[in-house]
Amino acid sequence: MKTDPTDPTAPGTGAESARAETGGADPETVRAETVRRLERAMGTLGTASVARMESRLSWFRGMSAEDRSWVGLVAQSGVAAFVEWFKNPERGRPAITVEVFGTAPRELTRSFSLQQTVEMIRVVIDVVENQVGELAAPGGEQQLREAVLRYTREVAFSSAKIYARAAEARGAWDARLEALIVDALLHGDREEGLQTWGSALSWSRTPVVAIAGLLGGQKSEGVLDDIRSLARRAGHDVLAGLQGDRIVAVIGVNEQVSGDEPLAAAAPLSGMFGSGPVVVGPPVPDLQSAAWSARAAVNGLRAAVAWPDAPRPVLAEDLLPERALDGDTAARRQLIDEIYLPLRGAGSPLLDTLSVYLEHASSLESTARMLFVHPNTVRYRLSRIAELTGFTPSDGRGSFALRVAVTLGRLAERDGTAGSR
């Protein structure tokens, strides 16, 4: 006997399968009865979901009353949207983003992380699934359970999409704000706004150092993202901006990782910059003071061409002579204050010994003969110079810095500005 394929009651047809799943009852009749039960239970389900969140999720109990009330509204909207979708299955995929999350403000994504949202969705699913036996019409339990699973899957996908869009928008906003802060620092802006902007980016680490390097032939967005990613993995706060072909990064140092040495924080990041020098500014106590570090790093980067063998990264203070010769007034002032004035204050023997020593090619014997003293006296005076200034006269870089500092100090004395600030 042949089976008529057009007969809806024929074995193997969709209608017969649907009847089998509902115990022989008409699926649409069962669905209609389930919808009536769901409509009566909508308010109870939403309230039960929020109550379950408060009992199971400790972080939810700590949220503000306003945020919890928004979650309750979202839960109620979600249940209502599910009932409407279950009532009209021909609509296809539910419009979760509009019907459910459209009731809450965008700021809610900042109050709850994606992981927390997933936990809340799981609670709602548990509440509904635990009541499937009561909510579904006789024979409609499987039908309702499958619908719940499909709907919650759509909710999960929509949640991920919302958070992805929020992250993308915030990332673009953060990048613009970072560039604004870096630009303000380089232009010497020390207003309170800097601290406010830093707070908006969750800035908390101190001390702060600036790092300057070149972009080279790399793509700017990729380089900045790599610098931010690497710095944050190390526990540092970071701001990064592009100034033409120059990259400036401001780092809030995680001292547990890098200690007090700015080079320790900068060294892992130096590989992210393009070819050429990478200069690290002096550490400062907070973001408002970072303009000093940023300008020192940028001026050091510009002057580093005069020291081809400089290490990478190099401290801006190690480039003081080059920066001073390049017209950096802050570097000139620092050399005078930290080298020339201490030597002048210690008395003429030290300053005279240094001048003769530098003029006679760093020769102890020649210096001793010119000053009519024993070479050991020269040695003692040179060691005192190193203690006072931090620069060793017998060292190549040290003698260079000392020579530049003494020259600048004498010129400043001529102009009457040696002791002024």
Side-chain angles (χ1 to χ4, degrees):
M1 177 178 178
K2 288 187 176 182
T3 301
D4 182 2
T6 63
D7 183 1
T9 63
T13 63
E16 184 182 68
S17 300
R19 287 182 182 279
E21 291 176 359
T22 57
D26 178 41
E28 294 306 317
T29 302
V30 173
R31 182 185 293 272
E33 176 60 26
T34 301
V35 168
R36 283 192 289 272
R37 295 187 180 198
L38 288 170
E39 289 175 338
R40 289 195 297 269
M42 280 195 302
T44 304
L45 288 173
T47 303
S49 298
V50 175
R52 183 73 64 86
M53 291 177 200
E54 290 181 346
S55 65
R56 288 177 52 178
L57 306 176
S58 59
W59 54 263
F60 183 80
R61 294 192 296 272
M63 303 299 293
S64 67
E66 181 182 8
D67 285 341
R68 280 185 283 130
S69 67
W70 277 118
V71 172
L73 181 59
V74 171
Q76 296 282 3
S77 300
V79 173
F82 169 72
V83 173
E84 184 64 25
W85 172 77
F86 185 76
K87 182 179 180 180
N88 302 287
E90 68 279 357
R91 289 173 55 189
R93 296 179 62 181
I96 304 293
T97 304
V98 175
E99 296 177 350
V100 180
F101 295 109
T103 60
R106 294 182 179 179
E107 290 76 9
L108 201 62
T109 58
R110 299 183 183 178
S111 300
F112 298 93
S113 67
L114 178 58
Q115 180 180 352
Q116 291 172 333
T117 301
V118 171
E119 290 178 354
M120 290 189 290
I121 293 172
R122 185 178 291 117
V123 169
V124 176
I125 294 172
D126 290 343
V127 169
V128 176
E129 284 190 329
N130 289 338
Q131 300 187 39
V132 165
E134 301 174 11
L135 295 171
E141 291 84 357
Q142 184 65 24
Q143 184 186 60
L144 179 58
R145 186 171 285 107
E146 290 179 356
V148 169
L149 291 176
R150 181 182 173 189
Y151 189 81
T152 51
R153 181 190 66 183
E154 294 295 333
V155 171
F157 285 148
S158 296
S159 300
K161 183 185 293 185
I162 289 171
Y163 275 87
R165 288 177 178 173
E168 183 178 353
R170 180 169 177 79
W173 181 83
D174 285 354
R176 290 193 294 271
L177 182 56
E178 286 186 32
L180 180 64
I181 294 175
V182 171
D183 186 68
L185 292 174
L186 291 177
H187 287 83
D189 190 342
R190 301 186 183 183
E191 299 298 327
E192 292 295 328
L194 286 175
Q195 207 66 23
T196 302
W197 294 342
S199 298
L201 294 170
S202 302
W203 186 279
S204 61
R205 298 284 186 184
T206 57
V208 178
V209 297
I211 308 172
L214 298 176
L215 178 63
Q218 305 178 86
K219 292 184 178 179
S220 59
E221 293 182 1
V223 173
L224 295 179
D225 288 342
D226 289 344
I227 291 174
R228 295 184 187 111
S229 177
L230 185 58
R232 286 166 182 157
R233 284 202 300 271
H236 307 309
D237 288 334
V238 58
L239 305 172
L242 192 66
Q243 303 277 324
D245 191 45
R246 182 177 62 208
I247 299 172
V248 179
V250 181
I251 307 296
V253 179
N254 179 0
E255 290 185 286
Q256 294 180 349
V257 176
S258 303
D260 297 326
E261 178 56 56
L263 281 180
L269 302 176
S270 61
M272 300 293 103
F273 293 83
S275 59
V278 175
V279 183
V280 184
V284 292
D286 51 45
L287 186 59
Q288 279 183 276
S289 308
W292 166 261
S293 184
R295 287 200 297 271
V298 169
N299 289 337
L301 179 65
R302 187 170 55 243
V305 64
W307 186 13
D309 296 327
R312 176 188 162 110
V314 60
L315 293 174
E317 293 195 345
D318 290 342
L319 287 161
L320 282 174
E322 288 82 4
R323 289 167 52 195
L325 294 174
D326 194 41
D328 184 347
T329 56
R332 291 183 177 184
R333 186 76 263 165
Q334 189 172 348
L335 286 172
I336 294 171
D337 290 345
E338 296 181 3
I339 296 179
Y340 182 74
L341 293 181
L343 290 176
R344 189 186 68 175
S348 59
L350 290 187
L351 195 55
D352 291 344
T353 298
L354 176 62
S355 299
V356 174
Y357 182 76
L358 294 176
E359 290 298 330
H360 288 79
S362 302
S363 170
L364 282 172
E365 291 74 13
S366 298
T367 303
R369 285 196 300 271
M370 289 297 297
L371 295 174
F372 302 102
V373 296
H374 194 277
N376 286 340
T377 303
V378 176
R379 287 192 181 92
Y380 170 75
R381 292 177 180 177
L382 294 179
S383 66
R384 286 285 296 133
I385 291 170
E387 290 175 4
L388 279 174
T389 65
F391 292 92
T392 304
S394 60
D395 174 71
R397 288 292 302 173
S399 64
F400 176 51
L402 290 166
R403 183 184 291 274
V404 172
V406 170
T407 302
L408 292 173
R410 286 170 174 162
L411 291 174
E413 276 199 330
R414 179 202 65 187
D415 298 333
T417 60
S420 63
R421 292 184 178 273

